């Protein structure tokens, strides 16, 4: 109990409580990226597992949610590894307590955290695309490719003010193209004015997906890419 921990500050439970209250210690690289300027354009962050990409994602999301001009949202986080959902939620909440408005949790009305499979399912239903069968359920790139084919005849509406993609290496080029189409273009004269923030690990590609040609899917990453070591 809390009372017991107060009486025994040297015990493990009390030590863990004290650690949770401390501000996380970031590397110089993490500190620099967490406060990088967000100008409404695309950004790519590459790095191996454990380099801190999700921490940067969470801080960029929290800063976006705290920005007065971004309050209308919605702002989406799309992830591909269901096993990391709890860690992702906790990292976002921690970042919000650091840079948010003083509340414990980010505003739910402004953001959505979506697994890519759930998002694809919603789009398939909306666009009357055929449901995947068997192993196709896990082939996000195939499912996205089918949706893109249907979208070429009727188009697909943007619906997110900004997008943050975690573990993008497991989604495939067609999935990334589809996600890019779902993000609002902020300047009608500038096709690169989409706030899509992609976090990518070239070394940890569970499905052997080819790296997307970012320019081919409408994202010019020149001067907008960072590598975390």
């Amino acid at each position: 109990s809390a009372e017991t921990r107060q009486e025994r500050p040297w015990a493990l439970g009390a030590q863990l409580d004290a650690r949770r209250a401390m501000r996380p210690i970031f590397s110089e690289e993490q500190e620099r990226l967490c406060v990088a300027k967000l100008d409404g354009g695309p950004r790519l962050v590459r790095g191996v597992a454990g380099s801190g990409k999700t921490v940067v994602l969470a801080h960029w999301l929290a800063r976006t949610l705290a920005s007065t001009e971004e309050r209308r949202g919605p702002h989406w986080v799309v992830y591909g590894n269901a096993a990391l959902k709890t860690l992702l939620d906790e990292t976002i909440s921690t970042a919000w307590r650091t840079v948010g408005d003083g509340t414990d949790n980010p505003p739910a009305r402004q953001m959505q955290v979506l697994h890519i499979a759930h998002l694809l399912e919603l789009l398939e239903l909306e666009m009357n695309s055929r449901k995947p069968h068997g192993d196709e359920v896990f082939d996000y790139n195939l499912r996205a490719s089918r949706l893109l084919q249907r979208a070429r005849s009727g188009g697909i509406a943007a619906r997110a003010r900004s997008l943050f993609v975690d573990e993008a290496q497991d989604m495939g080029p067609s999935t990334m193209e589809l996600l890019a189409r779902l993000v609002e273009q902020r300047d009608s004269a500038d096709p690169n004015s989409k706030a899509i923030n992609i976090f990518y690990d070239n070394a940890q590609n569970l499905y052997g997906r080819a790296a997307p040609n970012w320019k081919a899917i409408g994202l010019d990453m020149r001067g907008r890419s960072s590598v975390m070591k």
Side-chain angles (χ1 to χ4, degrees):
S1 67
E3 293 79 7
T4 303
R5 291 175 183 176
Q6 289 177 359
E7 294 170 2
R8 304 170 65 193
W10 45 267
L12 179 59
Q15 291 293 316
L16 290 173
D17 284 346
R19 288 282 180 179
R20 289 191 188 99
M22 291 180 182
R23 181 179 182 273
I25 298 174
F26 297 151
S27 68
E28 182 179 342
E29 183 177 48
Q30 288 173 324
E31 290 275 11
R32 175 180 60 81
L33 281 173
C34 282
V35 298
K37 182 180 179 182
L38 304 177
D39 59 2
R43 288 193 173 275
L44 172 65
V45 177
R46 294 185 293 120
V48 298
S51 57
K53 298 186 300 298
T54 303
V55 170
V56 176
L57 180 156
H59 274 75
W60 286 5
L61 172 65
R63 288 171 51 205
T64 298
L65 293 171
S67 170
T68 302
E69 55 191 46
E70 300 292 350
R71 289 206 175 147
R72 69 181 178 84
H75 305 283
W76 284 5
V77 178
V78 175
Y79 65 99
N81 190 336
L84 298 178
K85 173 63 162 56
T86 299
L87 176 62
L88 179 61
D89 287 340
E90 290 176 351
T91 307
I92 291 171
S93 293
T94 299
W96 177 256
R97 288 193 291 271
T98 302
V99 301
D101 62 2
T103 55
D104 286 338
N105 297 299
R109 67 185 183 280
Q110 284 179 247
M111 62 173 281
Q112 279 188 282
V113 181
L114 299 160
H115 190 279
I116 183 60
H118 180 54
L119 176 56
L120 290 171
E121 183 180 351
L122 293 174
L123 291 171
E124 286 161 349
L125 183 64
E126 176 185 315
M127 299 174 69
N128 295 315
S129 180
R130 79 176 180 85
K131 293 182 179 180
H133 299 283
D135 291 342
E136 289 181 355
V137 172
F138 305 101
D139 193 338
Y140 308 138
N141 204 56
L142 174 64
R143 295 169 66 182
S145 178
R146 289 173 178 162
L147 287 167
L148 286 170
Q149 288 175 3
R150 295 191 71 83
R152 288 189 180 100
S153 58
I156 184 168
R159 56 201 73 192
R161 173 77 172 161
S162 65
L163 177 66
F164 302 80
V165 186
D166 194 33
E167 304 292 349
Q169 72 277 354
D170 293 332
M171 298 187 187
S174 293
T175 312
M176 295 309 304
E177 181 179 352
L178 177 67
L179 290 175
R181 292 198 187 195
L182 297 173
V183 182
E184 172 187 320
Q185 183 173 317
R186 299 179 177 218
D187 181 348
S188 59
D190 180 7
N192 209 43
S193 60
K194 292 187 174 185
I196 175 168
N197 305 281
I198 300 167
F199 296 81
Y200 199 100
D201 183 352
N202 292 88
Q204 188 179 345
N205 190 332
L206 298 179
Y207 303 100
R209 312 279 192 215
N213 179 332
W214 302 112
K215 195 167 185 180
I217 63 176
L219 301 174
D220 187 349
M221 293 296 188
R222 289 176 297 179
R224 295 181 167 277
S225 177
S226 302
V227 178
M228 298 188 73
K229 300 177 182 178

